[in-house]
């Protein structure tokens, strides 16, 4: 992928962080105050008035500053014109809406700039936790301004792995050894950030995650020394006609290969 000037992505990163913090502050006005909720995708996915309000702030702020960029958001009707854009914003106004509407604090605003199919700037703002992750192409992964790194495999200790119970049960234990399954983390983006900062060693991602769940966290994890990949080890490409993804796994590079090998039975999950 051609690399543009670093200063351009630094400016975009600053813009993303400003917009995501404003969107997060707006969402907090609804948090634990019983916001109105609707259901989409045949009643499978909730969306709240906070999602819409945060989306409005992101869209107006980001596109006003970069009117030539495309747009992809969970809460905005998809515009096929994005496919002709070299660069676009990929956002999820509230990743972890179910947690948000039940008053749990594990949710975040996810916002990324994707250039020629790859994230080049990304932020995750978790206002209820007072946390902000940020990274750009070629830069460090930061949480609240401090560099973070993935964990290294321990000597004889269990691997701390997040994932659905039935997925973890199908892993090859002979390859991975002892596994400590981490309780459910309702925000996929935040769960990937937990891999990036070493709180957990890796995660499995069920089929049907979307670009907006992944793009920002993917870059943050990469710059922290890890990767988010398909079960064949391939990196993800964003801004395709189909924004959904198959089963994925994420971990630090030191043991990602072991996780991929142990996950071969999950391809049809």
């Amino acid at each position: 992928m051609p690399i543009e000037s670093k200063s351009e992505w630094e400016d975009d990163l600053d813009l993303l962080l400003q917009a995501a913090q404003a969107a997060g502050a707006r969402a907090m006005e609804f948090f634990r105050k019983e916001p109105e909720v609707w259901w989409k995708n045949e009643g499978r996915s909730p969306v709240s008035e906070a999602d819409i309000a945060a989306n409005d702030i992101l869209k107006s702020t980001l596109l006003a500053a970069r009117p030539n960029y495309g747009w992809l958001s969970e809460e905005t009707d998809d515009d096929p014109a994005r496919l002709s854009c070299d660069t676009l914003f990929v956002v999820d106004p509230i990743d972890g809406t179910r947690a948000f509407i039940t008053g749990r604090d594990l949710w975040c605003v996810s916002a990324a700039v994707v250039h020629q199919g790859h994230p080049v700037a990304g932020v995750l703002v978790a206002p209820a936790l007072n946390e902000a992750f940020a990274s750009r192409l070629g830069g460090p992964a930061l949480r609240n301004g401090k560099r973070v790194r993935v964990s290294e495999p321990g000597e004889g200790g269990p691997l701390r792995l997040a994932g659905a119970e039935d997925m973890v049960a199908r892993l090859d234990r002979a390859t991975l050894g002892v596994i400590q399954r981490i309780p459910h983390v309702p925000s996929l983006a935040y769960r990937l950030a937990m891999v990036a900062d070493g709180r957990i060693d890796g995660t499995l991602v069920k089929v049907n995650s979307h670009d907006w769940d992944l793009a920002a966290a993917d870059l943050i994890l990469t710059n922290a020394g890890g990767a988010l990949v398909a079960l064949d080890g391939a990196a993800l490409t964003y801004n395709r006609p189909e924004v959904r993804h198959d089963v994925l796994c994420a971990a630090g590079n030191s043991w990602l290969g072991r996780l991929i090998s142990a996950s071969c039975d999950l391809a049809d999950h």
Side-chain angles (χ1 to χ4, degrees), residues 213-264:
D213 304 312
L214 304 171
D218 187 348
L219 179 63
I220 292 164
L221 176 57
T222 296
N223 287 341
L228 171 68
V229 298
L231 293 186
D232 61 1
L236 307 190
T237 300
Y238 298 93
N239 197 29
R240 308 166 303 163
E242 177 55 76
V243 300
R244 294 182 296 176
H245 297 266
D246 292 328
V247 176
L248 309 172
C249 59
N253 292 327
S254 297
W255 69 279
L256 180 63
R258 288 167 54 197
L259 182 57
I260 293 171
S261 297
S263 303
C264 60

Side-chain angles (χ1 to χ4, degrees), residues 1 11 24 44 54 58 65 68 82 89 96 104 107 116 124-125 140 144 146 167 185 197-198 208 232 245 254:
M1 180 183 65
D11 289 345
R44 294 190 300 270
L58 289 169
N68 59 318
R82 67 177 170 81
F89 295 111
R104 297 183 62 189
W107 56 274
Q116 296 182 357
L124 302 175
V125 172
N144 293 349
K146 296 182 179 180
M167 296 180 78
V185 179
D197 69 13
N208 286 337
D232 61 1
H245 297 266
S254 297

Side-chain angles (χ1 to χ4, degrees), residues 41-42 75 132 138 250:
N41 299 328
E42 299 180 350
E75 307 306 346

Side-chain angles (χ1 to χ4, degrees), residues 5-266:
S5 65
K6 288 184 179 178
S7 61
E8 179 179 354
W9 305 133
E10 288 170 354
D11 289 345
D12 279 6
L13 183 59
D14 290 342
L15 174 64
L16 287 176
L17 188 56
Q18 173 192 351
Q21 287 174 331
R26 182 73 175 106
M28 285 295 289
E29 295 176 11
F30 298 89
F31 188 49
R32 295 174 177 161
K33 296 179 181 177
E34 299 184 355
E36 186 174 359
V37 176
W38 305 270
W39 292 85
K40 57 185 179 179
N41 299 328
E42 299 180 350
R44 294 190 300 270
S45 300
V47 57
S48 75
E49 57 183 322
D51 293 82
I52 303 304
N55 187 75
D56 289 346
I57 287 178
L58 289 169
K59 189 172 185 181
S60 61
T61 302
L62 295 174
L63 291 182
R66 302 286 190 273
N68 59 318
Y69 283 15
W71 179 259
L72 176 63
S73 167
E74 180 175 13
E75 307 306 346
T76 307
D77 289 341
D78 193 9
D79 181 358
R82 67 177 170 81
L83 297 172
S84 64
C85 297
D86 265 357
T87 310
L88 76 159
F89 295 111
V90 178
V91 309
D92 190 344
I94 297 179
D95 186 75
T97 298
R98 289 178 185 271
F100 180 92
I101 61 180
T102 57
R104 297 183 62 189
D105 54 14
L106 281 172
W107 56 274
C108 64
V109 180
S110 174
V113 172
V114 168
H115 178 67
Q116 296 182 357
H118 302 277
V120 292
V123 301
L124 302 175
V125 172
L129 298 171
N130 294 313
E131 290 182 351
F133 293 82
S135 197
R136 62 161 174 81
L137 183 69
L142 303 174
R143 182 183 68 195
N144 293 349
K146 296 182 179 180
R147 186 187 292 262
V148 295
R149 294 289 298 176
V150 297
S151 63
E152 296 294 331
E155 290 293 333
L159 293 175
R160 301 164 299 169
L161 190 66
E165 186 173 4
D166 55 344
M167 296 180 78
V168 173
R170 294 173 64 180
L171 293 174
D172 177 9
R173 293 303 203 276
T175 300
L176 290 178
V178 179
I179 296 172
Q180 175 190 349
R181 180 174 171 266
I182 302 300
H184 177 60
V185 179
S187 165
L188 172 53
Y190 191 81
R191 192 194 328 158
L192 292 168
M194 292 174 68
V195 180
D197 69 13
R199 277 178 284 174
I200 60 177
D201 299 313
T203 188
L204 304 170
V205 181
K206 283 188 171 184
V207 67
N208 286 337
S209 60
H210 295 76
D211 281 10
W212 48 74
D213 304 312
L214 304 171
D218 187 348
L219 179 63
I220 292 164
L221 176 57
T222 296
N223 287 341
L228 171 68
V229 298
L231 293 186
D232 61 1
L236 307 190
T237 300
Y238 298 93
N239 197 29
R240 308 166 303 163
E242 177 55 76
V243 300
R244 294 182 296 176
H245 297 266
D246 292 328
V247 176
L248 309 172
C249 59
N253 292 327
S254 297
W255 69 279
L256 180 63
R258 288 167 54 197
L259 182 57
I260 293 171
S261 297
S263 303
C264 60
D265 193 35
L266 300 180

